[in-house]
Amino acid sequence: MTDKTLLLFDVDGTLTMPRQGMEPNMRQALIEARKKVKLAVVGGSDLVKIVEQLGTSLEDVLSRFDYVFSENGLVGFKEHEPYPIKTIQDHIGEKKLQQLINFCLGYMSKIELPVKRGTFVEFRKGMLNISPIGRSCSQSERLQFVEYDTEHKIREHFVEELRKNFPIDQYGLQFSIGGQISVDVFPVGWDKTFCLEKLSEFDTIHFFGDKTMPGGNDYEIYEHPRTIGHFVNGPDDTIAQIQKLLL
């Protein structure tokens, strides 16, 4: 390991359980790792959610990582300095944005689930986060949806329809399964690989993520030629792989 090596982490399912806070054993593992290499985090969620999961405040999180990227890197910090922000509405235009939102709301209105709650479309700076159950569901309802989605492939079919109705050559959008309950929609190239342009100083980047299969929101960065990809099946596995790597 050299000062040109970086460990880059996904958040949900990698550093924390989905939408949960970081456990003390993970916090200590990162403290030990940072004595040897620089650390970065990249999540699809907005900055508020990432801060809720990884620390007590933005300043606290920025003090724990050398780089912090939310919304796949559209919002980012190097140490405590922010990068300029890009927005999805500026990139694709209001007309296409509304066509997409209207389609998603219409499609989800025809889906029957064990429960539905609220906030089905969350508008972020660099993406739309679309949730068939609604992001205001409780933790138990979230887990119920995970089980139902695994059996009925609700989000997988949703992504197929989005790709069919919004062809990439006309809309320039990508669609991926994000987290446990949602689908992420973002301009081509605005997946998690977007953060790599801010990390050009590193010769070796180890990326750790749990949604590394095709269609998952870690897939592109996991497979990217600039990264060494590590699939993890939860925070405990992440700790084990960090410790093995840094031996």
Side-chain angles (χ1 to χ4, degrees):
M1 296 295 167
T2 71
D3 57 2
K4 296 295 185 181
T5 300
L6 178 77
L7 304 190
L8 174 61
F9 300 94
D10 166 53
V11 181
D12 276 357
T14 301
L15 292 181
T16 75
M17 296 303 291
R19 290 298 301 130
Q20 302 300 304
M22 185 189 292
E23 296 292 339
N25 61 338
M26 176 62 77
R27 196 178 305 279
Q28 186 60 39
L30 294 177
I31 289 172
E32 295 301 318
R34 201 176 182 203
K35 294 176 182 178
K36 299 181 179 181
V37 293
K38 291 186 181 297
L39 305 183
V41 60
V42 57
S45 296
D46 61 33
L47 188 60
V48 171
K49 293 185 178 67
I50 287 178
V51 169
E52 287 175 351
Q53 291 179 248
L54 299 185
T56 58
S57 66
L58 176 58
E59 289 302 309
D60 177 45
V61 174
L62 295 179
S63 71
R64 296 178 185 277
F65 295 90
D66 300 282
Y67 297 83
V68 174
F69 300 106
S70 65
E71 301 190 38
N72 290 351
L74 270 294
V75 178
F77 293 82
K78 179 180 180 180
E79 297 175 345
H80 293 266
E81 293 299 317
Y83 291 106
I85 294 174
K86 295 184 179 180
T87 65
I88 186 172
Q89 66 267 34
D90 290 340
H91 188 76
I92 69 170
E94 187 65 31
K95 182 177 181 180
K96 288 182 178 179
L97 186 63
Q98 288 197 32
Q99 289 173 346
L100 173 65
I101 292 172
N102 291 342
F103 177 87
C104 290
L105 291 173
Y107 182 91
M108 289 188 291
S109 72
K110 299 179 179 66
I111 297 175
E112 291 191 12
L113 299 173
V115 299
K116 283 188 178 181
R117 293 301 178 248
T119 313
F120 301 101
V121 178
E122 184 173 86
F123 187 84
R124 300 174 182 172
K125 291 181 176 65
M127 68 169 71
L128 295 182
N129 183 264
I130 315 296
S131 177
I133 183 177
R135 295 197 61 89
S136 60
C137 62
S138 66
Q139 183 65 19
S140 62
E141 291 164 345
R142 170 186 285 263
L143 296 177
Q144 183 183 30
F145 175 80
V146 170
E147 185 176 341
Y148 190 86
D149 185 48
T150 300
E151 179 180 356
H152 297 281
K153 301 187 184 304
I154 299 299
R155 293 184 295 166
E156 185 176 319
H157 295 320
F158 194 0
V159 166
E160 289 173 0
E161 287 300 310
L162 285 165
R163 288 173 177 162
K164 184 190 306 180
N165 286 272
F166 297 89
I168 196 168
D169 59 335
Q170 296 180 35
Y171 287 84
L173 295 172
Q174 288 180 250
F175 308 93
S176 67
I177 294 172
Q180 291 182 306
I181 62 171
S182 58
V183 170
D184 290 335
V185 183
F186 45 85
V188 172
W190 289 22
D191 51 60
K192 288 181 180 175
T193 64
F194 189 87
C195 75
L196 295 178
E197 67 181 52
K198 312 291 198 313
L199 302 173
S200 58
E201 68 187 86
F202 296 99
D203 296 331
T204 305
I205 299 175
H206 292 270
F207 172 75
F208 300 80
D210 67 315
K211 293 290 191 300
T212 59
M213 65 293 190
N217 64 357
D218 293 326
Y219 175 74
E220 289 84 3
I221 193 167
Y222 175 79
E223 292 287 344
H224 197 277
R226 282 203 61 214
T227 68
I228 299 171
H230 301 264
F231 165 74
V232 300
N233 60 18
D236 288 342
D237 188 31
T238 301
I239 293 172
Q241 292 199 40
I242 293 171
Q243 292 172 342
K244 181 179 180 180
L245 181 66
L246 297 180
L247 279 176

